[in-house]
Amino acid sequence: MAQAAAVAKPPAPPRRRRASATPRRLPYLLIAPAALLMLGFIAYPVISVFYYSLQNYNPTKPWRNGYAGFDNFVHAFTEDPIFWDTLVFSAKWVVVEVGLQLLFGLALALIVNQTFVGRGLGRAMVFSPWAVSGVLTSAIWVLLYNSQTGITRYLADLGLGSYGTSWLSDTSTVFPAAIVADLWRGVPFFAILILADLQSVSKDLYEAAEVDGASRIKQFWHITLPHLKDAIILSTLLRAVWEFNNVDLLYTLTGGGPAGETTTLPLYIANTSVDAHNFGYASALTTVAFVILLFCSMVYLRLSKFGGGDK
Amino acid sequence: MSTKEATAVAPAPRRTVPEPQRPVKKRPAWDEAPRWQIYLPLSIYLVFTLIPFYWILLFALRPAGSTSLVPWPITFDHFEKVWTERAFATYFENSLLVGLATLVMTTLVALAGGYALARFNFKIKQAFMLALLCSQFVPGALLLVPLFEIFAELQMINSLGSVIIAETVFQLPLSMILISNFIKNVPYSLEEAAWVDGCNRFTAFRIVVLPLLRPGLIAVGSFAFVHSWNHFLFALMFLNNQSKQTIPVGLNTLMSADSVDLGALAAGGIIAAVPVVIVFAFIQKWLITGFSAGAVKG
């Protein structure tokens, strides 16, 4: 990768550009479609969210629409206990989910990076939930968790637990139940990324370490982990943002329930705008979510050393 | 493999090693884990991975009301029911259309933009890169309302076009960054050599660069397909008409019914999984190489 880039010298001096007819305008033409799409369907909506956050805006109650100042924000922070609950739950969800995914993903990647009989098949099976959608994951786990013919019935047959238990509708079990369902799909993501990065660890380093008599655990701490550091930092951050934002699974698996127990902030926003049509308030909540994510983005950009040239 | 990474890690253990690499015995130390340390944890994890898959197969194939843990006698009633009565045939067609259109649009637009980012220095390049990275943190789910209004304005509510555009837009940033990294890995001198031989820029790109991008394009294209095939919220919001809805929305409808038809849900889930499984089996080889070539390191 690095050697190739060194040879490529992307910003090549213009002296040999005889074949390029319009080198000055060409890059702009090439990025134009992407730039236009993103301006129209990301930038503009973002700006309109900021605008609506300062408005009372509810299509079902048009008589109250108008400029609201910071009322929406004040309401969220001072008068809306649900907002705080969802914020706390979001944090809990993201930290537990990303932490466990990283832990299991790393372990799994190290295992399937070994050479052993049946490795190809093992990898394929271990990674397979990666491609399964949030909704399909929900469907599968609804089948597993359902109170009549789900897994609890067969556990009860074995004398574990009682018949008719539904983990998804009990406030004390819904969190671990949802966490496990999302882990099932999320662990392979980490495993794939980490495995990809493991491919670029120089074998020489291990051989050298072995000559020195370093144990396999030492090799892991001093060679593998430092090598993976960047990949781990980046993928955890990306994943954290993704877990925060993604509502597919919780929306379909628990619907944020029971009793609002599993409502993340984005899920609350979706409900506020879709069900309650309170677009102004939803926009204010969205702005708050943006600010939280912006903080993550800055950490992300700092860590990825963004803008440090093209290598 | 890459020199950069090797030097980055080197300071700690490497210094103490005699520099000239003498021919060491072939097996790298890392491969010497005792077998049980591989197979035991792997088997445990596989049980966790595979039970849910078995569960959905079981429910899809055994007759309604059965509690047997083996899908016998096998019945395909649930599939027939879901395919015709629950309109999964229509959903499947719509999802396929959305997935393929998103794949084509994302790949083409990202290829053009990625080439510009990889090969040119232009005034707004840094700003544009920054915008790409920042957009990763803009959640589509939080833009549902303004997006809905835009598509309403464009008369595109209830048209698959709205979903295709929305999916493409949110796939673009990452795809473009990936593709530009793939292109950077192709030496510029190859292209220059083709120009000297009389190719114009486009022909040189098509003949020299494009074939080398194959693994990367396959990875990016299949991500776009799988992601839009799987994605749920845009379709839920922008498509109200049942004849326009996609598979994830159909699954959600099955799940949110008052009394869930578990057999139909399982069969619908398997129908939803089939294309993804095919794509997955097809790209698995390229996935690891594609990622290690271009992804995370950015």
Side-chain angles (χ1 to χ4, degrees), chain A residues 10 14 28 33 42 72 87 112 135 140 148 233 244 254 278 280 285:
Chain A
Y28 294 101
I42 298 182
N72 287 323
L87 209 55
V112 297
V135 183
I140 290 175
Q148 299 309 310
I233 291 173
F244 178 82
T254 66
N278 198 343
L285 293 177

Side-chain angles (χ1 to χ4, degrees), chain B:
Chain B
M1 213 144 318
S2 108
T3 49
K4 182 188 142 246
E5 271 118 33
T7 44
V9 187
R14 209 196 189 173
R15 292 277 168 248
T16 55
V17 176
E19 265 320 353
Q21 293 282 326
R22 54 203 144 108
V24 195
K25 54 181 169 141
K26 215 50 241 165
R27 277 193 313 171
W30 192 241
D31 282 346
E32 282 177 7
R35 299 293 92 176
W36 68 268
Q37 283 188 14
I38 296 173
Y39 288 115
L40 185 71
L42 193 62
S43 320
I44 295 174
Y45 194 81
L46 274 180
V47 169
F48 171 62
T49 302
L50 297 181
I51 280 187
F53 283 128
Y54 180 73
W55 213 252
I56 192 172
L57 268 176
L58 180 69
F59 275 72
L61 293 175
R62 75 185 183 189
S66 159
T67 57
S68 153
L69 276 178
V70 191
W72 196 261
I74 279 189
T75 165
F76 291 99
D77 291 355
H78 299 304
F79 285 96
E80 269 181 54
K81 189 172 166 193
V82 108
W83 189 254
T84 52
E85 266 176 56
R86 304 304 189 100
F88 265 58
T90 317
Y91 300 155
F92 193 89
E93 204 178 296
N94 293 338
S95 278
L96 208 57
L97 211 66
V98 169
L100 291 177
T102 308
L103 186 161
V104 172
M105 272 180 65
T106 306
T107 316
L108 287 181
V109 177
L111 198 57
Y115 185 81
L117 291 176
R119 291 296 195 236
F120 297 100
N121 261 335
F122 49 99
K123 261 191 205 137
I124 57 164
K125 181 170 165 181
Q126 291 299 315
F128 187 65
M129 287 288 284
L130 188 68
L132 287 184
L133 283 172
C134 288
S135 68
Q136 292 254 277
F137 295 87
V138 178
L142 300 187
L143 297 183
L144 280 177
V145 172
L147 281 175
F148 185 89
E149 298 200 318
I150 291 173
F151 287 124
E153 195 79 12
L154 296 172
Q155 310 275 330
M156 286 177 79
I157 294 300
N158 263 331
S159 126
L160 291 181
S162 62
V163 180
I164 293 169
I165 290 179
E167 299 293 354
T168 304
V169 164
F170 284 92
Q171 290 290 312
L172 263 183
L174 190 62
S175 307
M176 207 163 0
I177 293 173
L178 284 176
I179 288 186
S180 85
N181 282 340
F182 292 133
I183 294 179
K184 277 183 204 160
N185 288 348
V186 178
Y188 204 28
S189 49
L190 286 182
E191 268 180 89
E192 289 173 328
W195 303 345
V196 173
D197 290 345
C199 292
N200 63 28
R201 197 176 260 277
F202 178 74
T203 325
F205 175 77
R206 192 169 54 84
I207 296 176
V208 177
V209 184
L210 207 54
L212 294 172
L213 292 181
R214 218 175 79 143
L217 289 182
I218 288 174
V220 167
S222 20
F223 278 143
F225 177 83
V226 168
H227 197 272
S228 59
W229 176 272
N230 283 343
H231 198 223
F232 162 65
L233 270 185
F234 290 148
L236 180 75
M237 280 294 285
F238 306 149
L239 309 170
N240 306 318
N241 193 329
Q242 207 206 12
S243 68
K244 297 285 187 195
Q245 275 164 358
T246 57
I247 288 218
V249 182
L251 278 181
N252 181 53
T253 315
L254 287 179
M255 260 187 288
S256 49
D258 283 337
S259 64
V260 184
D261 182 344
L262 295 174
L265 178 60
I270 287 175
I271 293 171
V274 166
V276 172
V277 169
I278 293 173
V279 172
F280 185 78
F282 176 63
I283 63 159
Q284 220 226 339
K285 244 191 306 178
W286 281 286
L287 198 62
I288 308 294
T289 36
F291 260 130
S292 42
V296 196
K297 288 277 160 175

Side-chain angles (χ1 to χ4, degrees), chain A residues 160-180:
Chain A
L160 300 163
S162 54
Y163 290 97
T165 338
S166 174
W167 287 336
L168 287 178
S169 46
D170 186 333
T171 49
S172 62
T173 49
V174 68
F175 181 67
I179 285 283
V180 168

